[in-house]
Amino acid sequence: MLVFIDDSGDPGFKIERGSSKVFVIALVIFNDNLEAEKASLAIKELRRKLKVSDYYEFKFNKTNKKFKEAFFKSVIRFKFSARAIVVKKQVIHSHRLRNFKENFYNYIIMQVLKHNGGVIKNAKLKFDKRGEKTLRDQLRVYLSQQLDNKNKHIFSDLKFVDSRQNTLIQLTDMVAGSIYASYTKKDKSYLLSLKNARKIDNIWEFK
C-alpha cells in the first residue's frame, strides 16, 4: 500500500495577517504499486500533450483551469482513493497547536492517519519534503509514538520526497487543493468530479 500525503492552506493561525482559515491534509491511497506507476506515467504523458517541460509541476493553486481539467481527466481512470481531514481553525483552542504550527501540522496528520477506518495498514507513507531535517525526524518519531505503530502497524515506511520529481505527490496536491477550494467556497466543481468518480473515500470535518 502506497499513501501519498500533502496539504492545502497553511498551518499558521495569524488569520488577520493572511493565514488561511481552513487547513486540509489529503491522503491518496494506492493498493497496487503497478496502478500507481500507471497513474504516474499518465501524468508524465500529460505534460507532453500540454507541451510543458518534463519538469513541470502540477500544483492546484498555480495551475490554470484548462490544465486542471486535463489533469483530472487523465488520472480519474486509475484505481486510487482519497481520504482527507478539513480543519476550520476557529475550532482549535489549544495554545500549543495555535502557537506552534509544526505541532498543529503533526497533530492533524496524526489524526487523519489514526482515524483511517481500518483502511491503512503497513503502508509506505510518502510526504512532500518540507522544513528542516530535524522537523521531519520529529514528525517520524511523533507518528510512530502517537499511532502506537509498533503494535498497530499503520505504516511500514515513511519517506519525504521532492514534489517536483514525484508526480503522485502532485496528484495529492491537486486533490487537497480541490477539497480546499470547495470548503472555502472558491470552486466546488473539482471535488464534485472526484466524488462523482468515486475517488473520495472520506472527508472528515474536524471538530
Side-chain angles (χ1 to χ4, degrees):
M1 175 180 282
L2 296 172
V3 179
F4 298 85
I5 302 170
D6 206 357
D7 57 84
S8 190
D10 67 83
F13 278 81
K14 295 178 180 177
I15 309 296
E16 69 285 353
R17 297 187 195 173
S19 292
S20 63
K21 294 180 180 179
V22 174
F23 185 62
V24 174
I25 294 282
L27 315 178
V28 167
I29 303 165
F30 285 90
N31 288 311
D32 184 282
N33 284 8
L34 181 57
E35 198 70 10
E37 289 174 16
K38 288 178 180 178
S40 178
L41 181 59
I43 295 169
K44 292 174 182 177
E45 289 174 344
L46 177 63
R47 289 180 181 141
R48 299 283 177 91
K49 290 178 185 175
L50 295 175
K51 298 180 180 179
V52 295
S53 164
D54 288 346
Y55 301 101
Y56 178 86
E57 183 176 3
F58 290 96
K59 290 184 76 69
F60 190 88
N61 289 333
K62 296 180 179 179
T63 302
N64 64 40
K65 186 174 182 179
K66 176 187 171 184
F67 279 23
K68 284 175 185 172
E69 290 175 354
F71 183 91
F72 286 115
K73 187 176 180 180
S74 71
V75 299
I76 214 83
R77 65 187 186 274
F78 298 103
K79 294 177 183 175
F80 68 87
S81 62
R83 299 180 67 85
I85 184 169
V86 176
V87 184
K88 294 178 180 176
K89 291 178 185 173
Q90 75 263 22
V91 307
I92 302 295
H93 301 293
S94 163
H95 179 271
R96 184 176 65 88
L97 298 183
R98 292 185 68 90
N99 287 276
F100 299 95
K101 62 183 180 181
E102 288 300 328
N103 288 344
F104 172 67
Y105 177 83
N106 293 354
Y107 177 77
I108 297 305
I109 287 174
M110 181 272 290
Q111 288 291 321
V112 72
L113 287 170
K114 183 177 182 179
H115 301 282
N116 68 66
V119 170
I120 301 173
K121 284 286 185 184
N122 295 310
K124 292 181 178 180
L125 304 181
K126 295 186 185 294
F127 289 82
D128 185 10
K129 190 180 287 185
R130 63 190 294 280
E132 300 172 2
K133 184 178 183 299
T134 52
L135 295 176
R136 300 197 295 268
D137 289 342
Q138 286 172 14
L139 174 61
R140 182 181 282 107
V141 171
Y142 175 79
L143 290 179
S144 295
Q145 292 175 344
Q146 294 296 316
L147 298 173
D148 188 18
N149 197 53
K150 284 186 178 179
N151 295 311
K152 301 274 179 75
H153 306 291
I154 290 174
F155 64 93
S156 61
D157 187 40
L158 190 161
K159 288 184 179 177
F160 297 89
V161 299
D162 187 344
S163 64
R164 291 170 295 182
Q165 298 175 7
N166 191 297
T167 54
L168 298 181
I169 285 288
Q170 293 175 36
L171 167 59
T172 312
D173 176 279
M174 295 290 277
V175 171
S178 298
I179 295 168
Y180 180 87
S182 182
Y183 277 81
T184 54
K185 297 181 171 61
K186 291 178 181 177
D187 190 334
K188 297 186 177 184
S189 63
Y190 298 104
L191 177 56
L192 185 60
S193 68
L194 286 167
K195 285 181 174 180
N196 288 341
R198 298 184 179 179
K199 295 302 175 190
I200 303 296
D201 188 22
N202 179 262
I203 296 177
W204 173 23
E205 294 184 46
F206 186 78
K207 298 280 196 272

